[in-house]
Amino acid sequence: MRQSSLVVVANRLPVDDSVAPDGACEWRRSPGGLVSALHPLLQHTPATWVGWAGGTGPAPALPDIDGVRMRGVALTRDDVRDHYEGFSNSTLWPLYHDAVEQPVYHRRWWEAYQRVNQRFAEAAAEAAEPEAVVWVQDYHLQLVPGLLRAIRPDLRIGFFLHVPFPPPELFMQLPRRAELLLGMLGADLVGFQRAQAAHNFAQLAARVLQLPATDRRIAVDDRVVRIGAFPVSIDTAEMAALAQREDVVRRAARIRTDLGDPQHVILSVDRMDYTKGIEQRLKAYSELIATGHVKVRDTVLVQVAVPSRERVEQYQILRERVEREVGRINGEFGRVGEPAIHYLTQPFDRSELAALYRAADIMAVTPLRDGMNLVAKEYVAARVDGGGGLLLSEFAGAAAELEQAFLVNPHDLEGLKLALMHALQATPADLAARMTAMREHLRVHDIHAWARSYLTALDGSGRLAARFTPA
Ligand code: ADP
Ligand code: F6P
């Protein structure tokens, strides 16, 4: 087995196996914030990515992708059910997102979580050179830092949580809360999206584990674990370059024509997830049509909602409800050839997403809770023309940075309607001033800056960051 000096460990590999129209198996980039963040970062660096390819049974042999070695971890059907769909996405995911859906606890899910974390830790240990850096990602793998340190004490281990880390009142519900905290504390550096999350973590380490803890450092045995906020970002330059490509500009114009050249195109792009506030947004939009504030001929909503975690019951229920509501709104307010909502569930390639962003006057990103939300950042990066308006939930991590967006509380239906109207009626000068400020922020705070700041904190010098990120 070839070993690397940098190993990224994430539940998902950056590719999904899917079946092409001719029945052949093909690989495509998996949608989701983690992959969008790490994929551009690791391109052409001597790294190994340890993760799951999305199927069951033996891990497929994968080719290197853009110079990155892919090391698949095999999951059985039971592992997927109990680790991925169960403990990760029916216990931790809802709990970490303000319990907007009820978290579910089952003892056998915890056993699977431990078992699968152990397997990931062993795969990472095999893939890492002596004294390598191993960077563990997200809530599916919170035990990996501790398990890996036990096998390979020579490694430098980082952990980054892409989703929110909840306040103690919520986290304390977890039956295995101490083990989860200790697992994360196996890392040398634990990174979060927001300073509040690091604060929550420090409070819990003190309360549950009685460890000396500040918002920057936690003492564990004879080690000091550093913690902090490192807001993740996107490859701003890559998205901007894509959005400027002639074919993308032409495609954006074509999208507007196909939509009937309305005055306003509103766009939302989400994974089909109950944290994304899709139902609240549809309700606000339909009420605005019903009261005549929005006219279907003048304004269209394009809702892209790519199915996600489709075997989890809460996701199945959400999809049914969203599709029923889209059908109701189109049935009630649409006309022949003029639906009120254009609803798309397909995964798109990056250039089609860029064209959609460029075609949209208003991007509505209104999650009930979101660790960061990279779609909001992608939209801003794509608006190389300086146009467009961003309607953004206060409960997305991105709101702390994109302060010039039209910020909204998505739980407040009247507030949501007002903010949408405000964005729709904003003057071009107001929109341009907001967009320019947000673009400038993202020009500096891109994915490379994120990696530099995290990796510099991880090794205490600039050496590691210089090895893996462009100057
Ligand atoms: P999350 O991590 O919860 O999925 P983010 O907004 O942070 O949310 O990231 C979603 C990522 O998935 C973005 O990079 C976005 O471009 C991508 N994505 C969302 N919908 C699609 C789609 N239909 N096709 C392809 N990529 C998508
Ligand atoms: O960003 C949060 C996250 O859970 C990532 O870890 C994940 O890759 C992405 O959303 C998509 O979810 P999933 O991997 O379950 O399809």
Side-chain angles (χ1 to χ4, degrees), residues 128-150:
E129 277 178 17
E131 300 186 4
V133 169
V134 179
W135 196 0
V136 184
Q137 313 286 324
D138 232 357
Y139 60 101
H140 319 81
L141 302 178
Q142 279 173 230
L143 302 179
V144 169
L147 295 169
L148 186 57
R149 183 170 293 282

Side-chain angles (χ1 to χ4, degrees), residues 29-34 36 93 269-271 273 275-276 304-306 309 345-350 353 357 370 372-376 378:
R29 174 164 157 166
S30 35
L34 186 150
S36 294
W93 179 269
V269 176
D270 307 284
R271 269 186 313 101
D273 195 299
T275 59
K276 302 290 182 184
V304 178
V306 66
R309 306 173 190 167
T345 57
Q346 305 135 48
F348 292 117
D349 65 27
R350 306 297 293 163
L353 280 176
Y357 293 146
D370 211 329
M372 176 51 64
N373 198 291
L374 295 183
V375 164
E378 288 170 358

Side-chain angles (χ1 to χ4, degrees), residues 418-439:
L418 276 174
L420 184 54
M421 289 312 295
H422 185 189
L424 285 170
Q425 291 166 353
T427 63
D430 181 19
L431 292 175
R434 290 167 183 265
M435 191 52 78
T436 305
M438 293 191 287
R439 291 181 55 73

Side-chain angles (χ1 to χ4, degrees), residues 207-250:
R207 185 155 149 195
V208 176
L209 304 173
Q210 284 81 48
L211 294 173
T214 70
D215 289 4
R216 300 173 75 96
R217 286 183 168 73
I218 300 175
V220 192
D221 305 327
D222 54 349
R223 297 184 303 121
V224 172
V225 178
R226 274 157 313 119
I227 66 175
F230 303 87
V232 76
S233 195
I234 58 162
D235 191 338
T236 312
E238 183 201 44
M239 179 50 82
L242 196 55
Q244 288 188 87
R245 251 173 37 190
E246 250 178 59
D247 58 322
V248 171
V249 176
R250 269 201 310 275

